[in-house]
Short mmCIF file of all heavy atoms in Angstrom, two decimals:
data_model
loop_
_atom_site.label_atom_id
_atom_site.label_comp_id
_atom_site.label_asym_id
_atom_site.label_seq_id
_atom_site.Cartn_x
_atom_site.Cartn_y
_atom_site.Cartn_z
N ASP A 1 67.19 36.37 -71.32
CA ASP A 1 68.18 37.43 -71.10
C ASP A 1 68.02 38.03 -69.71
O ASP A 1 69.00 38.39 -69.07
CB ASP A 1 68.01 38.53 -72.15
CG ASP A 1 68.20 38.01 -73.55
OD1 ASP A 1 69.32 37.58 -73.86
OD2 ASP A 1 67.23 38.01 -74.32
N MET A 2 66.77 38.12 -69.27
CA MET A 2 66.48 38.72 -67.97
C MET A 2 65.41 37.92 -67.25
O MET A 2 64.43 37.49 -67.86
CB MET A 2 66.01 40.17 -68.14
CG MET A 2 65.68 40.86 -66.81
SD MET A 2 65.37 42.64 -66.97
CE MET A 2 63.91 42.64 -68.02
N LEU A 3 65.62 37.71 -65.95
CA LEU A 3 64.63 37.04 -65.11
C LEU A 3 64.17 38.03 -64.05
O LEU A 3 64.98 38.55 -63.27
CB LEU A 3 65.22 35.79 -64.47
CG LEU A 3 64.23 34.85 -63.76
CD1 LEU A 3 64.77 33.42 -63.74
CD2 LEU A 3 63.96 35.30 -62.31
N ILE A 4 62.88 38.31 -64.03
CA ILE A 4 62.28 39.25 -63.09
C ILE A 4 61.50 38.47 -62.03
O ILE A 4 60.78 37.52 -62.36
CB ILE A 4 61.31 40.21 -63.82
CG1 ILE A 4 62.06 41.03 -64.87
CG2 ILE A 4 60.60 41.13 -62.83
CD1 ILE A 4 61.12 41.82 -65.79
N ARG A 5 61.65 38.88 -60.78
CA ARG A 5 60.77 38.35 -59.74
C ARG A 5 60.13 39.51 -59.01
O ARG A 5 60.81 40.41 -58.51
CB ARG A 5 61.51 37.47 -58.74
CG ARG A 5 60.55 36.93 -57.66
CD ARG A 5 61.16 35.89 -56.77
NE ARG A 5 60.12 35.34 -55.89
CZ ARG A 5 60.07 34.10 -55.45
NH1 ARG A 5 61.02 33.24 -55.81
NH2 ARG A 5 59.10 33.67 -54.66
N THR A 6 58.81 39.50 -58.95
CA THR A 6 58.07 40.52 -58.22
C THR A 6 57.83 40.05 -56.79
O THR A 6 58.12 38.91 -56.44
CB THR A 6 56.72 40.81 -58.90
OG1 THR A 6 55.91 39.61 -58.87
CG2 THR A 6 56.92 41.24 -60.35
N GLY A 7 57.32 40.94 -55.95
CA GLY A 7 56.87 40.53 -54.62
C GLY A 7 57.89 40.62 -53.51
O GLY A 7 57.60 40.26 -52.37
N GLY A 8 59.11 41.08 -53.81
CA GLY A 8 60.07 41.34 -52.75
C GLY A 8 60.97 40.19 -52.36
O GLY A 8 61.88 40.36 -51.55
N GLU A 9 60.75 38.99 -52.91
CA GLU A 9 61.63 37.86 -52.61
C GLU A 9 62.82 37.87 -53.58
O GLU A 9 62.70 38.33 -54.71
CB GLU A 9 60.88 36.54 -52.71
CG GLU A 9 59.63 36.45 -51.84
CD GLU A 9 59.94 36.38 -50.35
OE1 GLU A 9 61.14 36.27 -50.00
OE2 GLU A 9 59.00 36.46 -49.55
N ALA A 10 63.94 37.32 -53.13
CA ALA A 10 65.16 37.35 -53.96
C ALA A 10 65.70 35.93 -54.14
O ALA A 10 66.79 35.59 -53.69
CB ALA A 10 66.22 38.25 -53.34
N ARG A 11 64.91 35.08 -54.76
CA ARG A 11 65.32 33.72 -55.10
C ARG A 11 64.57 33.32 -56.36
O ARG A 11 63.59 33.97 -56.75
CB ARG A 11 65.01 32.75 -53.96
CG ARG A 11 63.53 32.69 -53.56
CD ARG A 11 63.28 31.71 -52.43
NE ARG A 11 61.87 31.70 -52.06
CZ ARG A 11 61.31 32.51 -51.17
NH1 ARG A 11 62.08 33.41 -50.55
NH2 ARG A 11 60.03 32.45 -50.89
N ILE A 12 65.01 32.22 -57.00
CA ILE A 12 64.37 31.83 -58.26
C ILE A 12 63.47 30.61 -58.12
O ILE A 12 62.80 30.21 -59.08
CB ILE A 12 65.39 31.62 -59.39
CG1 ILE A 12 66.37 30.50 -59.05
CG2 ILE A 12 66.13 32.92 -59.67
CD1 ILE A 12 67.29 30.16 -60.22
N SER A 13 63.41 30.01 -56.94
CA SER A 13 62.38 29.02 -56.60
C SER A 13 62.21 27.92 -57.65
O SER A 13 61.10 27.66 -58.11
CB SER A 13 61.04 29.73 -56.36
OG SER A 13 61.14 30.62 -55.26
N ASN A 14 63.31 27.29 -58.04
CA ASN A 14 63.25 26.13 -58.92
C ASN A 14 62.70 26.48 -60.31
O ASN A 14 62.08 25.66 -60.97
CB ASN A 14 62.41 25.03 -58.28
CG ASN A 14 62.62 23.66 -58.91
OD1 ASN A 14 63.63 23.41 -59.57
ND2 ASN A 14 61.66 22.78 -58.72
N PHE A 15 62.95 27.69 -60.76
CA PHE A 15 62.43 28.17 -62.05
C PHE A 15 63.57 28.27 -63.07
O PHE A 15 64.55 28.98 -62.84
CB PHE A 15 61.78 29.53 -61.85
CG PHE A 15 61.17 30.13 -63.09
CD1 PHE A 15 60.36 29.40 -63.93
CD2 PHE A 15 61.40 31.47 -63.40
CE1 PHE A 15 59.79 29.96 -65.07
CE2 PHE A 15 60.83 32.05 -64.53
CZ PHE A 15 60.03 31.29 -65.36
N LEU A 16 63.46 27.55 -64.17
CA LEU A 16 64.41 27.64 -65.28
C LEU A 16 65.86 27.55 -64.79
O LEU A 16 66.71 28.37 -65.16
CB LEU A 16 64.19 28.93 -66.07
CG LEU A 16 62.81 29.13 -66.69
CD1 LEU A 16 62.75 30.46 -67.43
CD2 LEU A 16 62.44 27.98 -67.64
N LEU A 17 66.15 26.56 -63.97
CA LEU A 17 67.47 26.46 -63.34
C LEU A 17 68.60 26.36 -64.37
O LEU A 17 69.65 26.98 -64.21
CB LEU A 17 67.51 25.24 -62.41
CG LEU A 17 66.57 25.29 -61.20
CD1 LEU A 17 66.73 24.02 -60.37
CD2 LEU A 17 66.81 26.53 -60.35
N TRP A 18 68.38 25.59 -65.41
CA TRP A 18 69.40 25.43 -66.45
C TRP A 18 69.45 26.68 -67.33
O TRP A 18 70.52 27.23 -67.61
CB TRP A 18 69.09 24.19 -67.29
CG TRP A 18 70.05 23.91 -68.40
CD1 TRP A 18 70.09 24.51 -69.64
CD2 TRP A 18 71.11 22.95 -68.41
NE1 TRP A 18 71.09 23.98 -70.41
CE2 TRP A 18 71.74 23.03 -69.67
CE3 TRP A 18 71.58 22.04 -67.46
CZ2 TRP A 18 72.82 22.22 -70.02
CZ3 TRP A 18 72.66 21.23 -67.81
CH2 TRP A 18 73.27 21.33 -69.08
N GLN A 19 68.29 27.13 -67.76
CA GLN A 19 68.21 28.20 -68.75
C GLN A 19 68.63 29.55 -68.20
O GLN A 19 69.04 30.44 -68.96
CB GLN A 19 66.78 28.29 -69.30
CG GLN A 19 66.29 27.05 -70.02
CD GLN A 19 65.59 26.06 -69.10
OE1 GLN A 19 65.85 26.04 -67.90
NE2 GLN A 19 64.72 25.24 -69.66
N ALA A 20 68.53 29.74 -66.88
CA ALA A 20 68.83 31.05 -66.28
C ALA A 20 70.29 31.19 -65.85
O ALA A 20 70.63 32.12 -65.13
CB ALA A 20 67.92 31.28 -65.08
N ALA A 21 71.15 30.30 -66.34
CA ALA A 21 72.55 30.30 -65.91
C ALA A 21 73.23 31.65 -66.13
O ALA A 21 74.06 32.08 -65.33
CB ALA A 21 73.33 29.20 -66.64
N TYR A 22 72.88 32.35 -67.22
CA TYR A 22 73.49 33.65 -67.52
C TYR A 22 72.44 34.76 -67.66
O TYR A 22 72.71 35.80 -68.25
CB TYR A 22 74.35 33.57 -68.78
CG TYR A 22 75.75 33.07 -68.50
CD1 TYR A 22 76.08 31.75 -68.71
CD2 TYR A 22 76.72 33.93 -68.01
CE1 TYR A 22 77.36 31.28 -68.43
CE2 TYR A 22 78.00 33.50 -67.73
CZ TYR A 22 78.32 32.17 -67.94
OH TYR A 22 79.58 31.72 -67.66
N SER A 23 71.27 34.54 -67.09
CA SER A 23 70.25 35.58 -67.10
C SER A 23 70.63 36.70 -66.14
O SER A 23 71.27 36.47 -65.11
CB SER A 23 68.89 35.01 -66.69
OG SER A 23 68.46 34.00 -67.56
N GLU A 24 70.22 37.92 -66.49
CA GLU A 24 70.34 39.04 -65.57
C GLU A 24 69.12 39.03 -64.65
O GLU A 24 67.99 39.02 -65.12
CB GLU A 24 70.41 40.36 -66.34
CG GLU A 24 71.61 40.47 -67.27
CD GLU A 24 72.93 40.52 -66.51
OE1 GLU A 24 72.94 41.01 -65.38
OE2 GLU A 24 73.94 40.05 -67.07
N PHE A 25 69.34 39.02 -63.32
CA PHE A 25 68.24 38.96 -62.37
C PHE A 25 67.80 40.37 -61.97
O PHE A 25 68.62 41.27 -61.81
CB PHE A 25 68.66 38.19 -61.12
CG PHE A 25 68.85 36.71 -61.34
CD1 PHE A 25 69.26 35.90 -60.30
CD2 PHE A 25 68.65 36.12 -62.57
CE1 PHE A 25 69.45 34.54 -60.47
CE2 PHE A 25 68.83 34.77 -62.77
CZ PHE A 25 69.23 33.97 -61.71
N TYR A 26 66.48 40.50 -61.82
CA TYR A 26 65.91 41.77 -61.39
C TYR A 26 64.81 41.47 -60.37
O TYR A 26 63.81 40.84 -60.70
CB TYR A 26 65.33 42.53 -62.59
CG TYR A 26 64.71 43.87 -62.25
CD1 TYR A 26 65.48 45.03 -62.17
CD2 TYR A 26 63.34 43.98 -62.02
CE1 TYR A 26 64.91 46.26 -61.86
CE2 TYR A 26 62.75 45.20 -61.71
CZ TYR A 26 63.55 46.33 -61.63
OH TYR A 26 62.98 47.56 -61.33
N PHE A 27 65.03 41.92 -59.13
CA PHE A 27 64.06 41.70 -58.07
C PHE A 27 63.41 43.03 -57.69
O PHE A 27 64.10 44.04 -57.55
CB PHE A 27 64.74 41.09 -56.84
CG PHE A 27 65.42 39.77 -57.12
CD1 PHE A 27 66.81 39.67 -57.14
CD2 PHE A 27 64.67 38.64 -57.38
CE1 PHE A 27 67.43 38.47 -57.38
CE2 PHE A 27 65.28 37.42 -57.63
CZ PHE A 27 66.66 37.32 -57.64
N THR A 28 62.10 43.01 -57.56
CA THR A 28 61.37 44.23 -57.22
C THR A 28 60.40 43.96 -56.08
O THR A 28 59.85 42.86 -55.95
CB THR A 28 60.59 44.76 -58.45
OG1 THR A 28 59.78 45.87 -58.05
CG2 THR A 28 59.69 43.71 -59.06
N GLU A 29 60.19 44.98 -55.24
CA GLU A 29 59.24 44.88 -54.13
C GLU A 29 57.79 44.89 -54.62
O GLU A 29 56.87 44.49 -53.90
CB GLU A 29 59.45 46.04 -53.15
CG GLU A 29 60.81 46.04 -52.48
CD GLU A 29 60.98 44.92 -51.48
OE1 GLU A 29 59.96 44.50 -50.89
OE2 GLU A 29 62.12 44.45 -51.30
N THR A 30 57.57 45.35 -55.83
CA THR A 30 56.22 45.48 -56.37
C THR A 30 55.52 44.12 -56.43
O THR A 30 56.07 43.15 -56.96
CB THR A 30 56.25 46.09 -57.78
OG1 THR A 30 56.92 47.35 -57.74
CG2 THR A 30 54.85 46.26 -58.34
N TYR A 31 54.31 44.05 -55.89
CA TYR A 31 53.53 42.82 -56.01
C TYR A 31 53.06 42.66 -57.45
O TYR A 31 52.81 43.64 -58.15
CB TYR A 31 52.32 42.85 -55.07
CG TYR A 31 52.66 42.81 -53.61
CD1 TYR A 31 51.97 43.59 -52.68
CD2 TYR A 31 53.69 42.00 -53.12
CE1 TYR A 31 52.27 43.57 -51.33
CE2 TYR A 31 54.00 41.96 -51.77
CZ TYR A 31 53.29 42.75 -50.88
OH TYR A 31 53.61 42.72 -49.55
N TRP A 32 52.89 41.41 -57.88
CA TRP A 32 52.54 41.18 -59.28
C TRP A 32 51.27 41.91 -59.72
O TRP A 32 51.24 42.47 -60.83
CB TRP A 32 52.41 39.68 -59.56
CG TRP A 32 51.98 39.39 -60.97
CD1 TRP A 32 50.81 38.84 -61.38
CD2 TRP A 32 52.72 39.69 -62.16
NE1 TRP A 32 50.76 38.77 -62.75
CE2 TRP A 32 51.92 39.29 -63.25
CE3 TRP A 32 53.97 40.28 -62.42
CZ2 TRP A 32 52.34 39.44 -64.58
CZ3 TRP A 32 54.39 40.43 -63.73
CH2 TRP A 32 53.57 40.01 -64.79
N PRO A 33 50.20 41.98 -58.93
CA PRO A 33 49.00 42.70 -59.41
C PRO A 33 49.24 44.17 -59.71
O PRO A 33 48.46 44.80 -60.43
CB PRO A 33 48.00 42.52 -58.26
CG PRO A 33 48.42 41.25 -57.61
CD PRO A 33 49.93 41.28 -57.66
N ASP A 34 50.32 44.75 -59.16
CA ASP A 34 50.64 46.16 -59.42
C ASP A 34 51.68 46.34 -60.50
O ASP A 34 52.04 47.48 -60.84
CB ASP A 34 51.14 46.83 -58.13
CG ASP A 34 50.05 46.96 -57.07
OD1 ASP A 34 48.88 47.15 -57.45
OD2 ASP A 34 50.38 46.85 -55.87
N PHE A 35 52.20 45.25 -61.05
CA PHE A 35 53.26 45.33 -62.06
C PHE A 35 52.63 45.67 -63.41
O PHE A 35 51.66 45.06 -63.83
CB PHE A 35 53.99 43.99 -62.15
CG PHE A 35 55.33 44.05 -62.81
CD1 PHE A 35 56.46 44.40 -62.08
CD2 PHE A 35 55.47 43.78 -64.17
CE1 PHE A 35 57.71 44.46 -62.69
CE2 PHE A 35 56.72 43.83 -64.78
CZ PHE A 35 57.84 44.17 -64.05
N ASP A 36 53.19 46.67 -64.10
CA ASP A 36 52.62 47.13 -65.36
C ASP A 36 53.73 47.50 -66.35
O ASP A 36 54.89 47.17 -66.14
CB ASP A 36 51.68 48.32 -65.12
CG ASP A 36 52.37 49.48 -64.41
OD1 ASP A 36 53.63 49.50 -64.33
OD2 ASP A 36 51.67 50.39 -63.93
N GLY A 37 53.35 48.17 -67.42
CA GLY A 37 54.31 48.54 -68.44
C GLY A 37 55.42 49.44 -67.93
O GLY A 37 56.59 49.29 -68.31
N ASP A 38 55.09 50.38 -67.04
CA ASP A 38 56.11 51.26 -66.47
C ASP A 38 57.09 50.46 -65.62
O ASP A 38 58.30 50.71 -65.65
CB ASP A 38 55.46 52.36 -65.63
CG ASP A 38 54.76 53.40 -66.49
OD1 ASP A 38 55.08 53.50 -67.69
OD2 ASP A 38 53.88 54.11 -65.96
N ALA A 39 56.57 49.51 -64.85
CA ALA A 39 57.45 48.67 -64.03
C ALA A 39 58.34 47.82 -64.91
O ALA A 39 59.52 47.60 -64.59
CB ALA A 39 56.61 47.79 -63.10
N LEU A 40 57.79 47.34 -66.03
CA LEU A 40 58.60 46.56 -66.97
C LEU A 40 59.70 47.43 -67.56
O LEU A 40 60.85 46.98 -67.71
CB LEU A 40 57.72 46.00 -68.08
CG LEU A 40 58.44 45.16 -69.13
CD1 LEU A 40 58.97 43.86 -68.54
CD2 LEU A 40 57.53 44.86 -70.32
N ASP A 41 59.38 48.67 -67.88
CA ASP A 41 60.39 49.59 -68.43
C ASP A 41 61.52 49.82 -67.44
O ASP A 41 62.69 49.93 -67.82
CB ASP A 41 59.74 50.92 -68.81
CG ASP A 41 58.92 50.82 -70.08
OD1 ASP A 41 59.10 49.84 -70.82
OD2 ASP A 41 58.09 51.72 -70.31
N GLU A 42 61.19 49.92 -66.15
CA GLU A 42 62.24 50.09 -65.14
C GLU A 42 63.17 48.88 -65.12
O GLU A 42 64.39 49.01 -64.99
CB GLU A 42 61.60 50.29 -63.77
CG GLU A 42 60.91 51.63 -63.60
CD GLU A 42 60.35 51.80 -62.20
OE1 GLU A 42 60.73 51.01 -61.30
OE2 GLU A 42 59.53 52.71 -61.99
N ALA A 43 62.59 47.69 -65.26
CA ALA A 43 63.41 46.48 -65.28
C ALA A 43 64.30 46.45 -66.52
O ALA A 43 65.49 46.11 -66.43
CB ALA A 43 62.50 45.25 -65.25
#
């Protein structure tokens, strides 16, 4: 339903190309080591 990418990049890098056809994309500047439950709630 939703595809999240951390780290500030805005591309899907060959990830789930078929399955993500209708996914909602969410890009965040937060680096993955800093991503937590609150960050997930924002997404």
Side-chain angles (χ1 to χ4, degrees):
D1 299 296
M2 179 171 63
L3 190 154
I4 299 170
R5 180 170 186 148
T6 63
E9 305 290 353
R11 59 180 179 272
I12 61 173
S13 298
N14 197 20
F15 181 47
L16 300 179
L17 296 181
W18 180 280
Q19 298 90 335
Y22 275 98
S23 299
E24 298 294 331
F25 290 178
Y26 180 85
F27 301 109
T28 174
E29 296 290 329
T30 303
Y31 293 140
W32 177 246
D34 292 327
F35 198 85
D36 56 14
D38 288 339
L40 180 67
D41 286 343
E42 290 182 14

